[in-house]
Amino acid sequence: MNLAILQIKTEKEFLAQALKTFNEQYQNNKVYQEFVNRLNINPQSVEKIEEIPFLPVEFFKSFKISTQKSPFDKIFTSSGTTGSTPSRHYVKNIQDYYDELDAGFEYFFGNFTDYEVLPLLPAYAERNGSSLIEMVNYWMRKTQQKNTEFYLYNHQDLSKRLEQLSHSPKKIILIGVSFALLDFAEKFSKPLKIQHLIETGGMKGRKKEITREELHERLKNAFDLPHIVSEYGMTELLSQAYALKDGVFETPPWMKILIRDPEDPFNYLPNTATGGINIIDLANQGSCSFIAVQDLGRKSKDGRGFEVLGRFDFSDVRGCNLMAL
């Protein structure tokens, strides 16, 4: 990856890298090129971010979205639901993902070596191809922690480990899928001395869908925590956004959210208006950096953050990227 992308600091730098990436992906990603051509858009006329075509995320289910040829270090796959077609994200060089994870963790949380990470990710850890599991494995390697257990359904051992770490100088991250965190809360409700409890969303048919607000209230009450962190990521991206508190997500400097008009995908809505989420992830150099997803959202009044409010269509529920209203 061009590491300059992970060092973006200004809107001017972001625009320059976005336009450069758009032109490179138009030239080298044949699926994206055909998509742009069918829209009768001349790439040379694109001068603003809002003029860039955003590829529907569903294309990752049916086509190889890549600027490069095999072999690939990794093929990340979505979990999906029974009978659904998974998305595939072809990663030529896994170091590109690791570079983003380094920069993203530092941006949101600080130094890896200050932390110990405890993962509660059943379902994801029980299959191959999960980018979330790759991320958490990498986090644990970078923290240099000795215990790298994925606790799955072993809540007793997780509770014991949290107790052991309660007097440790290390900061603690407990990251889990929503249904597993709720199960753990029901069995081991007690104050936790941790810095970040990160929920990745997703009931995966294990529990009744609830709002993110209700989920956070249950977890805060069970563990006596002031805030719950939410992660917004997906198979088709290499980057993640985080809501450190109050459900308002922030993006790293190489990632941007636009809110499109549901009736006109080339019309973008003002801050606080609800519409479809378009994502620019400049870390996606090897696939497509401009993706239209089926999540509904709105940007905050100042435009710096965004909320995820649900989905257009619940027929193909995602594994890890949202809680539905």
Side-chain angles (χ1 to χ4, degrees):
M1 184 190 298
N2 178 3
L3 293 182
I5 288 169
L6 303 179
Q7 298 166 358
I8 289 172
K9 291 184 173 59
T10 67
E11 289 293 323
K12 184 177 180 180
E13 291 173 346
F14 187 94
L15 175 61
Q17 289 289 354
L19 293 177
K20 181 174 183 286
T21 297
F22 165 64
N23 282 285
E24 289 177 349
Q25 291 183 345
Y26 174 80
Q27 293 295 329
N28 299 307
N29 184 328
K30 298 307 179 184
V31 174
Y32 186 54
Q33 183 181 95
E34 184 175 353
F35 174 73
V36 174
N37 289 344
R38 285 176 178 264
L39 293 173
N40 293 318
I41 291 174
N42 180 358
Q44 295 180 348
S45 69
V46 173
E47 298 179 344
K48 301 177 181 178
I49 285 173
E50 293 80 5
E51 296 170 348
I52 295 174
F54 283 73
L55 188 74
V57 71
E58 291 79 12
F59 277 51
F60 282 80
K61 295 177 180 291
S62 303
F63 302 98
K64 180 184 285 189
I65 310 299
S66 179
T67 62
Q68 300 161 320
K69 297 180 180 180
S70 58
F72 297 94
D73 282 352
K74 287 282 183 177
I75 302 175
F76 292 133
T77 58
S78 63
S79 53
T81 55
T82 303
S84 66
T85 302
S87 292
R88 293 178 177 270
H89 190 171
Y90 295 83
V91 180
K92 179 74 172 179
N93 184 356
I94 193 60
Q95 187 60 46
D96 289 347
Y97 190 39
Y98 297 158
D99 289 342
E100 190 286 327
L101 293 177
D102 282 337
F105 191 95
E106 181 179 355
Y107 182 81
F108 286 104
F109 305 113
N111 296 323
F112 276 110
T113 52
D114 292 339
Y115 287 89
E116 178 153 337
V117 177
L118 304 179
L120 185 60
L121 298 165
Y124 295 96
E126 296 171 285
R127 69 175 185 85
N128 295 321
S130 168
S131 58
L132 176 61
I133 296 302
E134 188 74 28
M135 179 184 84
V136 174
N137 264 321
Y138 184 74
W139 281 7
M140 291 192 291
R141 292 200 300 272
K142 292 288 287 189
T143 62
Q144 301 175 23
Q145 65 193 65
K146 294 181 180 179
N147 187 318
T148 58
E149 180 179 354
F150 280 81
Y151 289 91
L152 299 179
Y153 307 96
N154 194 348
H155 298 156
Q156 182 72 48
D157 281 0
L158 174 58
S159 180
K160 288 180 179 178
R161 185 60 182 157
L162 284 165
E163 182 65 31
Q164 291 169 358
L165 291 170
S166 63
H167 304 292
S168 169
K170 290 277 191 178
K171 299 176 183 178
I172 308 304
I173 288 177
L174 171 59
I175 182 169
V177 63
S178 300
F179 77 83
L181 290 172
L182 286 174
D183 285 344
F184 181 57
E186 290 170 3
K187 297 176 182 177
F188 294 93
S189 177
K190 62 181 179 180
L192 295 182
K193 295 180 180 179
I194 64 176
Q195 275 61 48
H196 302 294
L197 192 162
I198 303 176
E199 56 90 2
T200 68
M203 291 300 186
K204 298 183 69 65
R206 307 294 182 97
K207 289 182 178 291
K208 179 183 177 181
E209 292 286 347
I210 59 175
T211 65
R212 179 178 281 115
E213 289 79 5
E214 184 178 351
L215 170 69
H216 286 201
E217 283 303 311
R218 289 190 192 180
L219 295 176
K220 285 191 291 186
N221 291 336
F223 301 127
D224 191 24
L225 296 171
H227 302 291
I228 305 298
V229 179
S230 294
E231 184 244 13
Y232 184 77
M234 59 188 71
T235 301
E236 300 85 358
L237 305 177
L238 290 188
S239 299
Q240 307 80 33
Y242 291 93
L244 300 181
K245 61 179 181 178
D246 302 327
V248 178
F249 289 92
E250 299 177 38
T251 59
W254 55 90
M255 186 181 185
K256 188 180 287 291
I257 300 295
L258 289 78
I259 303 298
R260 68 182 184 273
D261 186 335
E263 303 298 326
D264 180 1
F266 281 94
N267 182 41
Y268 291 96
L269 301 178
N271 295 344
T272 74
T274 299
I277 293 178
N278 282 3
I279 302 171
I280 301 175
D281 182 7
L282 295 181
N284 270 20
Q285 290 292 298
S287 55
C288 183
S289 291
F290 313 97
I291 301 175
V293 301
Q294 292 300 311
D295 299 337
L296 284 167
R298 65 183 172 217
K299 297 187 78 170
S300 56
K301 189 174 181 179
D302 62 9
R304 296 179 180 178
F306 71 100
E307 297 175 78
V308 180
L309 303 175
R311 289 185 59 78
F312 282 106
D313 181 4
F314 289 87
S315 63
D316 185 17
V317 178
R318 281 199 175 279
C320 67
N321 70 319
L322 64 99
M323 291 293 298
L325 284 178

